[in-house]
Amino acid sequence: MPPEFDSVDQITTMFREYGDIGLVRLLRPGKEVPSDLRNYATQVPDIGDSLCAVVDFESSEAALKAVRELKESFW
């Protein structure tokens, strides 16, 4: 995540246009990775090293839409 998105409210605002959100968590660099996300840390090497957000959408369609659209805008 870009450093300016460093609060749950900012992340929620950015992602809510893609669908209903169940949960937002921020993972800050240098902090312990929660046990339920440790398996993902091997797939996403930034977890634990940079500011990361975990956004749980109510539907997989909303999550896919967010990934597709945000990937285009950030890359």
Side-chain angles (χ1 to χ4, degrees), residues 3-74:
E4 61 269 16
F5 293 99
D6 65 348
S7 76
V8 170
D9 287 338
Q10 290 171 316
I11 298 298
T12 301
T13 299
M14 182 169 79
F15 282 92
R16 85 166 43 116
E17 69 181 85
Y18 301 103
D20 293 332
I21 296 172
L23 176 67
V24 174
R25 291 192 282 178
L26 282 179
L27 307 176
R28 299 191 184 276
K31 300 287 183 179
E32 187 174 340
V33 176
S35 60
D36 63 321
L37 298 176
R38 287 191 189 130
N39 288 338
Y40 296 106
T42 58
Q43 301 167 17
V44 183
D46 290 350
I47 292 178
D49 293 333
S50 64
L51 180 64
C52 295
V54 178
V55 180
D56 289 329
F57 285 95
E58 295 292 331
S59 72
S60 57
E61 293 82 12
L64 287 171
K65 181 179 179 184
V67 168
R68 288 181 183 135
E69 292 185 20
L70 289 171
K71 188 175 180 179
E72 283 184 26
S73 68
F74 283 117

